[in-house]
Amino acid sequence: MLRRSLSRASPLLSNGLLQTLPLAFAPSIRSLRSLSSHTTPQTLNPSPSQEEEPHENLRDSSRPTVSVLIDRSSLHNSPEHSPNPSSDSELVKHLKSIIKFRGGPISVAEYMEEVLTNPHSGFYINQDVFGAGGDFITSPEVSQMFGEMIGVWTMCLWEQMGQPEKVNLIELGPGRGTLMADLLRGSSKFVNFKRSLHIHMVECSPTLQKLQHSALKCMDEAMNEDGSTKRTISTLSGSPVSWHSTLEQVPFGTPTIIIAHEFYDALPVHQFQQSSRGWCEKMVDVSEDSLNFRFVLSPTPTPAALLYLRKRCQWASAEEAAKLDHIEVCPKAMELTHQIAKRISSDGGGALIIDYGKNGIISDSLQAIRKHKFVNILDNPGSADLSAYVDFASIRHSAEEVSEHISVHGPITQSQFLGYLGINFRVEALLQNCTEEQAESLKTGYWQLVGDGGAPFWEGPNEQTPIGMGNRYLAMAIVNKKQGVPVPFE
Ligand code: SAH
């Protein structure tokens, strides 16, 4: 069945580069990524228990039952918080102390930011959270073909940019560095492309920076005779690599290609709720006995509600906004998009954003995942990943409002994106030269990446339709208009 569907080419693949690139890639299978024991966020099957509260996830729209109180801290003195119980983690103590010294609750966005990226004890900071042994798995970890296809996209854009001699290839939130490593390995035969690359990894976690360093097989190279000035080189491509904690730190003035895979979903969101007092903000407070965290609702609309909610709703039809009594807004995503659009507008190039989400306002999607299971967002913060659906419509509007020199394309589904770029040809090429075990792994990986109820390349019986990330994940591109329309968004 797989082979039957593989032989079906998309219209785009019938011409030129897109047909030859996936075949021209190094024909090797880098390693066997055993998938059978892996669980993706999409295939999670939350089993409610006292500790594991069911929450909206990518397949299950059943809503969590979270009680929200009204924040009365501004009406009377908030209860004196007792000393931190000694069993509290550093992050829990830190969060409780922020709430105590502020004299009131913090926004969900501030909570999310602290939980994920607090420089001492944030979820991403000190540990490898990916893969079967970690908390969740992402597409680059599922199959080498994912990074290779992003490589095809990157090379096509580089061609459209006029094959610049130097290009800044920036990855936002590179995780273990697997996507970039597969991109570099896959494109190693394309010498001029490879030579042009200056790689910039934007990563806040020192632990993950080290993993990325080793995934890219980096070594230090002396730049002068006495060896006092050094630069880091990836031996996969011979390209210089540098690390930054924010996009702003990457030097300007060079044509740029930006990849953001599952980065936007980690950016902090504000949550607003319609109430008899108008749109109030959901906040995080400490319970009366100071032991746990709890949600409370602001007594009146907060400055964030007035600013961000109003801004987001300007981009929605009255009909769209009227349907919702919960709205999530991610100002950091708007800010990041502004930066991306301005950079691309001045330096040329483009950005590719792939994430799970929706092309419209998001209602209430924040979720926590620990060891491949959904858990309560407020339970033992720092020990579970927090993520929210990405609002692609907001990204489009944010990009368009800062520059006339860029164009925004998509979103299209991951399945369409990978299919049009030639993943079918790539899997076929790899299958011709592998062991039975590797073939199984390749097929499973392929279906995890492109499969879903409505996978366009599935021709088998409906009851066997594979479950995957193909339709849940969306791809969007922001490019400088000089480059024309990027593949495969024509
Ligand atoms: N792109 C990778 C990892 C996604 S997880 C993959 O698909 O496998 C999110 C990544 O973004 C992690 O590497 C995390 O450490 C990083 N990250 C999250 N928030 C960040 C921030 N504010 N600044 C820089 N890096 C961040």
Side-chain angles (χ1 to χ4, degrees):
M1 200 55 65
L2 177 69
R3 296 198 67 83
R4 184 145 66 87
S5 62
L6 291 179
S7 62
R8 208 177 114 188
S10 72
L12 261 178
L13 290 169
S14 55
N15 60 30
L17 195 62
L18 283 186
Q19 193 163 27
T20 49
L21 273 179
L23 293 173
F25 272 11
S28 58
I29 295 179
R30 182 165 60 74
S31 64
L32 182 67
R33 293 190 191 148
S34 167
L35 295 160
S36 50
S37 61
H38 290 185
T39 320
T40 68
Q42 292 65 47
T43 56
L44 293 172
N45 190 9
S47 52
S49 71
Q50 277 194 321
E51 286 145 61
E52 290 165 13
E53 180 181 351
H55 203 290
E56 182 179 66
N57 64 63
L58 298 176
R59 288 197 296 141
D60 175 4
S61 61
S62 61
R63 306 212 62 79
T65 42
V66 178
S67 61
V68 180
L69 307 168
I70 296 175
D71 165 30
R72 304 206 181 274
S73 57
S74 59
L75 303 178
H76 58 82
N77 290 335
S78 59
E80 193 52 39
H81 294 132
S82 61
N84 290 320
S86 55
S87 59
D88 280 355
S89 69
E90 284 307 308
L91 186 66
V92 169
K93 283 182 192 156
H94 175 66
L95 286 163
K96 285 183 178 175
S97 73
I98 303 180
I99 294 169
K100 178 178 173 185
F101 289 113
R102 292 264 177 84
I106 56 174
S107 68
V108 170
E110 189 173 357
Y111 174 81
M112 187 174 172
E113 186 162 10
E114 288 291 340
V115 168
L116 292 183
T117 58
N118 175 281
H120 302 293
S121 41
F123 173 73
Y124 283 118
I125 300 302
N126 302 313
Q127 50 178 350
D128 174 11
V129 297
F130 304 96
D135 294 284
F136 61 98
I137 188 163
T138 57
S139 295
E141 304 300 329
V142 163
S143 170
Q144 70 184 71
M145 292 183 288
F146 188 78
E148 290 171 348
M149 289 302 111
I150 305 291
V152 172
W153 186 84
T154 306
M155 281 191 278
C156 290
L157 183 63
W158 176 78
E159 288 260 349
Q160 284 179 284
M161 289 159 69
Q163 306 192 350
E165 275 177 24
K166 181 178 172 190
V167 69
N168 277 344
L169 177 58
I170 304 174
E171 186 177 356
L172 305 179
R176 282 178 170 169
T178 310
L179 185 160
M180 186 61 81
D182 288 335
L183 182 160
L184 295 180
R185 263 193 212 97
S187 59
S188 61
K189 286 185 179 174
F190 299 86
V191 180
N192 290 342
F193 170 73
K194 197 172 74 169
R195 272 202 207 115
S196 71
L197 297 177
H198 286 241
I199 297 166
H200 298 273
M201 309 287 259
V202 176
E203 174 58 67
C204 64
S205 159
T207 307
L208 293 176
Q209 286 190 1
K210 281 192 198 123
L211 288 180
Q212 292 155 16
H213 188 280
S214 102
L216 298 188
K217 303 209 180 309
C218 284
M219 51 176 265
D220 286 342
E221 184 186 81
M223 287 179 73
N224 54 2
E225 282 195 358
D226 65 4
S228 58
T229 314
K230 291 191 172 134
R231 63 178 188 169
T232 303
I233 296 287
S234 164
T235 56
L236 296 179
S237 59
S239 324
V241 187
S242 44
W243 277 266
H244 316 267
S245 50
T246 64
L247 175 60
E248 281 152 318
Q249 292 168 0
V250 180
F252 285 84
T254 303
T256 295
I257 301 178
I258 300 174
I259 312 287
H261 179 255
E262 290 219 40
F263 182 72
Y264 271 82
D265 67 55
L267 299 177
V269 293
H270 288 266
Q271 292 194 314
F272 304 104
Q273 192 174 318
Q274 180 74 280
S275 78
S276 55
R277 303 174 311 283
W279 278 97
C280 294
E281 183 164 2
K282 213 161 131 184
M283 315 282 284
V284 177
D285 198 4
V286 179
S287 59
E288 298 277 334
D289 57 10
S290 293
L291 290 177
N292 299 306
F293 294 103
R294 61 176 180 176
F295 285 117
V296 294
L297 202 58
S298 67
T300 52
T302 56
L306 298 174
L307 192 68
Y308 304 129
L309 185 63
R310 195 170 286 173
K311 173 156 190 169
R312 179 61 189 90
C313 287
Q314 274 170 7
W315 294 328
S317 66
E319 224 179 31
E320 186 185 11
K323 272 192 272 175
L324 302 170
D325 55 8
H326 289 73
I327 289 183
E328 246 168 40
V329 184
C330 185
K332 286 265 156 105
M334 296 175 186
E335 263 172 59
L336 175 69
T337 309
H338 287 165
Q339 285 183 36
I340 291 175
K342 283 184 192 157
R343 190 177 280 265
I344 285 165
S345 173
S346 62
D347 292 345
L352 176 68
I353 298 158
I354 301 186
D355 226 307
Y356 53 95
K358 204 180 124 190
N359 196 19
I361 292 191
I362 308 291
S363 175
D364 180 5
S365 75
L366 183 62
Q367 61 192 19
I369 294 175
R370 184 189 303 131
K371 301 281 168 219
H372 306 275
K373 288 206 165 92
F374 285 93
V375 294
N376 188 318
I377 294 163
L378 300 179
D379 175 49
N380 196 6
S383 68
D385 181 43
L386 296 183
S387 64
Y389 284 21
V390 172
D391 176 349
F392 282 91
S394 162
I395 295 180
R396 167 184 289 278
H397 289 291
S398 301
E400 286 172 347
E401 77 178 354
V402 294
S403 173
E404 314 171 326
H405 304 299
I406 54 98
S407 56
V408 184
H409 306 271
I412 58 176
T413 65
Q414 173 164 299
S415 172
Q416 289 167 325
F417 178 80
L418 296 175
Y420 288 138
L421 284 173
I423 193 169
N424 293 4
F425 290 107
R426 183 61 183 148
V427 73
E428 196 161 23
L430 288 171
L431 282 170
Q432 275 161 18
N433 188 18
C434 65
T435 64
E436 255 177 48
E437 199 188 354
Q438 287 172 329
E440 266 319 297
S441 169
L442 275 170
K443 289 178 198 170
T444 317
Y446 170 85
W447 285 121
Q448 270 193 280
L449 294 181
V450 303
D452 201 306
F457 302 102
W458 176 251
E459 291 182 351
N462 284 343
E463 63 278 12
Q464 285 173 25
T465 306
I467 302 295
M469 298 156 151
N471 282 3
R472 315 282 172 188
Y473 281 67
L474 303 177
M476 176 174 256
I478 304 171
V479 299
N480 189 303
K481 281 182 181 163
K482 277 189 291 192
Q483 270 84 238
V485 180
V487 291
F489 294 90
E490 298 98 334

